[in-house]
Amino acid sequence: MTSAGARLWRGFFGGWLNATVTIVTLAVVWLVVAPIVRWALLDAVWVGDAKTCAAAEGACWAFIGEKLRFILFAFYPFGEHWRAALALAALVAVLGLSAVPRLWSVWLAGACAGLLASAWALLGGGLFGPPVPMAQWGGLPLTLLITILAFAGGFPIGLALALGRRSRLPILSWLCTIYIELARGIPLITALYLAMLVLPLALPEGVELETLVRASLAMTLFFAAYFAEIIRAGLQGVPESQTEAALSLGYSPFGAMRHVILPQALRSVVPALVTIAIGILQSTTLVAAIGVFDLLNAARQAANDTAWLGFYDEAYAFAALVYFTLCFGASRYSVWLEKRL
């Protein structure tokens, strides 16, 4: 037995206590996993109609095959799904390009902004086909769009709030502190309802914002407070001697912050920023409460079809698989990025 195998054997069965815990754990896993495997794979229906699924004991993955386009794109016009697919590809490209540290530059920001504008134009129509109201946008493109907008908007606002909270101007510091503590002290669902019910009252007469815009704005301002605290923690982790050294070399206070302090602070909190991005993605499911058809809400609505009524387990399992794939990939990327930096 190799040394690695010996270490594993000692870890699992080295002594009566380890052996007992291992055997009990395996038994519990078998009792829990075996029925799930039987339902999801062995007894599942992969091809057929609703009647075939109703007669079976396993999962009805034929339902996912039939409703896949609706789950991905919700009520977006069926004949224009190619536009939604291209918009989804543009949003995935934004995520992919942003994940490469070698590309982090002003040019990347411009490229990502162009891809976002392209995705928005594709979904909205006009240049690429008949206009599609925002009320019909939905599914996975909408989920990724809200996530990217909330992150891209919340990060610079959070940076400004973090710097403002550390400012020597008492009024500015107090205002930033009050905003951060208020935003972090309320649930996100409350912020979404405020955006839906209170924001229209604050707008000038005749000015209206679509539900999607209000939801994105609410999530941006909400998560900006969390960005602010993460960035502030990074700034506090940079020794004061770094600032003194930069000033002694002739940097202005602004130059020292921009060229010396911020790069070190942001590098140290990049994994936490990725964690916030995962949290934003998971929190997009709450927009269903205000009538936005994100991926999860589209999956639930698909199971309400009278021809395929009641297959909620399969709908939620598929949505969970998509979210798990995105979040697990982001978490592995965070580990890789932390080692690289």
Side-chain angles (χ1 to χ4, degrees), residues 228-243:
E229 287 300 275
I230 289 175
I231 295 172
R232 187 170 71 92
L235 291 172
Q236 289 180 339
V238 179
E240 187 66 25
S241 59
Q242 295 288 314
T243 303

Side-chain angles (χ1 to χ4, degrees), residues 8-28:
L8 285 175
W9 178 264
R10 288 195 300 269
F12 286 113
F13 298 99
W16 67 269
L17 181 59
N18 283 2
T20 302
V21 172
T22 299
I23 293 172
V24 171
T25 302
L26 290 176
V28 171

Side-chain angles (χ1 to χ4, degrees), residues 90-115:
L91 296 172
V92 172
V94 171
L95 297 176
L97 292 174
S98 302
V100 182
R102 187 181 303 175
L103 300 179
W104 291 349
S105 64
V106 176
W107 299 105
L108 176 61
C112 290
L115 287 171

